[in-house]
Each structure stands twice: as structure tokens, then as C-alpha cells.
Amino acid sequence: MSETEIKSIQWFPGHMAKTRRSIKENLSLVDAVVEIIDARIPLSSQNPEMGKMTAGKPRLLVLNKRDMADSNVTDRWISYFRSQGIVAVSMDCKSGKGMKQFTSALENQLLKDLLETRRAKGMSGAPVRVMIVGIPNVGKSSFINRMSGSKKAKVEDRPGVTRTKQWVKLGDRIEMLDMPGVLWPKFEDQGVARRLAFTGAIKDDIVDIETLAMLLLEYLAENYPAALKERYKMDVSGQPGKDLLELLGRKRGMLISGGEVNTERAAIMLLDEFRAGKIGSISLEMPEE
Ligand code: G4P
């Protein structure tokens, strides 16, 4: 099967430069950087420049949307990141699961030394300040809203401190910059582009939707055949994506005159249902790869 034609997107260099500037400007104001990523694609949803841009600051990875990912695989990712010396937690910002683990990882692992030093200096009252970053659609706003509660408590203006209105309180001890740094993923790698497209992080108008659906079906047939059987009553046994898409359309009665399958309709339905989590909790990247 040919690769999907995912055009390499030319992000306006000016746009990226602005983000870089904004992160750099605010970096000196925070104790740590929290990068939100998608638990289904923990590598593809990271910005490759993040490490460089936030150099010198401790970074915590939040694998968000864990309700949509395969929990077994997510656990393996957390262990993998740990083995690399990276503090990572998983979270579901829709329900709020994982919030306590986040706070604990931030205070007891990532910033343990800093907080101990502050305590020793009698400065334990000073809040921990964090900056939230991530590519579009990973759940940055949901994270900030969830963590700050329904009534966002803004940090009050203090003389001498500029732009305090951008900080929101998270309990007594943590303050979050209420202005997430939005970064873009890297599209040059077709595998990365494809996985971002599966999750809807790349707009469908730049990809061929039927080819994308065929690739997703091939992946699901290989890794999650039971989910295809359960949702679509599809029996899969190594068919190419084209045949899988036809089978899916037929199962759903998506026919056009002459008994042919309307593969475009079937493709749109598959991707919509996948993105809505209706096919199940599915991971698109495995740490072992
Ligand atoms: P962003 O600021 O990083 O761009 O992301 P945002 O919070 O806007 O979230 C993007 C979408 O992802 C939203 O869905 C949001 O509800 C959903 N989302 C965020 N966190 C989670 C999570 O942990 N689990 C699940 N299942 N979904 C999550 P939307 O369709 O754009 O809006 P809506 O469904 O909230 O109406």
C-alpha cells in the first residue's frame, strides 16, 4: 500500500518564532515545564524542539487522554519514560483521573530538591510555578481548567510583578501560567504525520481520507482485531486496507447503486468513531518500537 499523501506543512516561521520567544520570556518565571502529550501517541505528539527550548528547567510529561489509550500500553510508556530518567504521569482531563498523581509527581519527584532547599531556607511558603506547553488539541486548556477548578482563582495583582493576571492558582501551593505555549509537531516523518492524522490532530483536508482509513484499518486489524470484531463484526485475517474498508462499508450497509460500497462514507464514519473513542481504548504507538 502506498503511503498517505500527507503534505509537509510549512508552519509560518514567524509563528514558531513567536512561540519560541514567548516560552523563552516566561521560562525564567517558572520552576518547571509541564508538557501535555497524547497518551495514544506519546512520541508523535511531542515537539522535538521542546527539550532545547526549555533547557535548564525540569520537565514533567503528562500523557493525557489516557481514557482513550490502551491502559496496558500507557503503563509501559510511563515505565519507559522513567527508565530514561523522565518523570511522566498519565491523566484523563475529562474525568479528572490522575490529578493527585500529577501534583505528587511534581512536588515529590520533579521539584523535590528545590522544595527541600526552600524549606531549609524557611521559604516553604513560596508557590511552585509551572508553565504548560504542548501541540494543539492535546488538552492544554482542559488541563488548566481541570486543575484550577471551575472557579479559576487568579493570582492577585502584586506591585512589582508584571502580568500577574496570567497566573491561576492550583490549591495553595502551585501556580500555573494561564497561557499555554502552543507548539507544533514535526510532520516530516510520514509515520508521525499519519498517527497525528488518525487522532485528528492534523486537519482532514490535507490528507486523503480513504487512504487514511485504510491505514488505520490495517493497524487495527494487526493490533486490535477484537475491537474490530466487537464494533463492526469484522473478521480480519491479513486483508489489505482496501478490502478492509470495503468490508466495513458493506457491514454498515453503505452501498451505492450497483451494490458498490461507498468507501468515502465508510472512511469518514471509521475516523469519526475512532476519534470519539467508540472503537475502544487504543494506543497507536508502542514503546517497544
Ligand atoms: P488544547 O487546549 O491543547 O488545544 O486542547 P483542549 O483542552 O481544547 O482539548 C481538545 C479536545 O480534547 C477537547 O475535545 C477536549 O474535551 C478533549 N480532551 C481533553 N482532555 C481529554 C481527556 O483526558 N480525555 C478525553 N477523552 N478527551 C479530552 P473537543 O471535542 O474539542 O471538545 P469537547 O468534547 O470538550 O466539546
Side-chain angles (χ1 to χ4, degrees):
M1 156 126 24
S2 64
E3 291 279 342
T4 35
E5 291 296 315
I6 298 176
K7 292 172 215 141
S8 200
I9 298 177
Q10 293 299 312
W11 294 108
F12 306 116
H15 212 152
M16 196 63 199
K18 204 172 144 216
T19 303
R20 248 192 237 115
R21 216 166 30 241
S22 154
I23 289 182
K24 220 171 146 189
E25 258 174 36
N26 291 299
L27 206 58
S28 63
L29 305 176
V30 298
D31 302 305
V33 174
V34 174
E35 184 175 5
I36 314 276
I37 57 176
D38 186 326
R40 294 167 295 176
I41 46 171
L43 291 186
S44 298
S45 59
Q46 281 188 39
N47 180 285
E49 285 189 41
M50 188 64 74
K52 213 165 60 192
M53 266 185 273
T54 60
K57 290 287 168 187
R59 187 157 53 115
L60 176 65
L61 283 184
V62 174
L63 282 73
N64 189 38
K65 305 197 185 188
R66 76 173 195 195
D67 54 306
M68 301 187 88
D70 184 336
S71 55
N72 248 316
V73 179
T74 302
D75 288 345
R76 298 210 303 269
W77 274 112
I78 302 276
S79 306
Y80 165 79
F81 286 124
R82 254 182 223 152
S83 74
Q84 305 283 307
I86 299 168
V87 182
V89 293
S90 68
M91 198 156 161
D92 165 5
C93 286
K94 274 226 155 142
S95 72
K97 282 191 190 120
M99 287 166 69
K100 280 200 187 110
Q101 288 90 329
F102 165 78
T103 310
S104 165
L106 184 70
E107 295 183 331
N108 304 326
Q109 291 180 57
L110 200 75
L111 299 176
K112 190 167 177 269
D113 294 347
L114 174 83
L115 295 178
E116 271 171 12
T117 310
R118 281 190 187 168
R119 257 194 299 276
K121 288 186 181 164
M123 290 168 57
S124 45
V128 163
R129 293 185 145 180
V130 296
M131 177 195 294
I132 313 298
V133 294
I135 68 166
N137 208 39
V138 284
K140 294 177 295 302
S141 312
S142 307
F143 177 84
I144 292 176
N145 290 336
R146 176 56 73 179
M147 295 298 292
S148 58
S150 52
K151 283 193 223 106
K152 266 194 197 174
K154 301 265 184 206
V155 173
E156 48 196 86
D157 282 335
R158 278 177 235 137
V161 181
T162 51
R163 291 190 287 167
T164 47
K165 62 181 182 299
Q166 292 171 346
W167 297 93
V168 292
K169 271 177 176 285
L170 200 174
D172 294 333
R173 303 189 302 263
I174 305 172
E175 291 180 5
M176 243 184 322
L177 196 57
D178 188 12
M179 186 198 58
V182 181
L183 289 155
W184 285 272
K186 207 175 153 98
F187 294 92
E188 286 89 47
D189 179 321
Q190 279 291 309
V192 170
R194 183 196 307 167
R195 288 186 284 276
L196 286 163
F198 288 160
T199 65
I202 295 182
K203 297 241 180 320
D204 283 337
D205 51 10
I206 62 158
V207 295
D208 173 52
I209 191 105
E210 286 181 52
T211 314
L212 194 63
M214 290 176 203
L215 289 167
L216 179 59
L217 280 168
E218 284 184 352
Y219 178 84
L220 294 174
E222 195 180 333
N223 296 282
Y224 295 95
L228 286 179
K229 175 92 181 159
E230 165 86 19
R231 175 108 195 135
Y232 302 116
K233 313 282 172 275
M234 280 172 70
D235 284 310
V236 293
S237 53
Q239 304 95 313
K242 191 170 178 299
D243 295 359
L244 291 169
L245 188 60
E246 288 226 5
L247 179 62
L248 173 67
R250 221 168 270 290
K251 289 278 181 190
R252 282 289 166 109
M254 293 174 166
L255 303 179
I256 39 181
S257 56
E260 260 180 61
V261 174
N262 184 337
T263 44
E264 190 185 355
R265 249 185 88 200
I268 292 169
M269 183 269 299
L270 176 82
L271 288 160
D272 278 353
E273 296 204 352
F274 175 74
R275 290 168 189 163
K278 289 184 182 157
I279 306 178
S281 298
I282 286 160
S283 293
L284 297 169
E285 270 173 354
M286 314 285 171
E288 294 76 14
E289 288 163 15

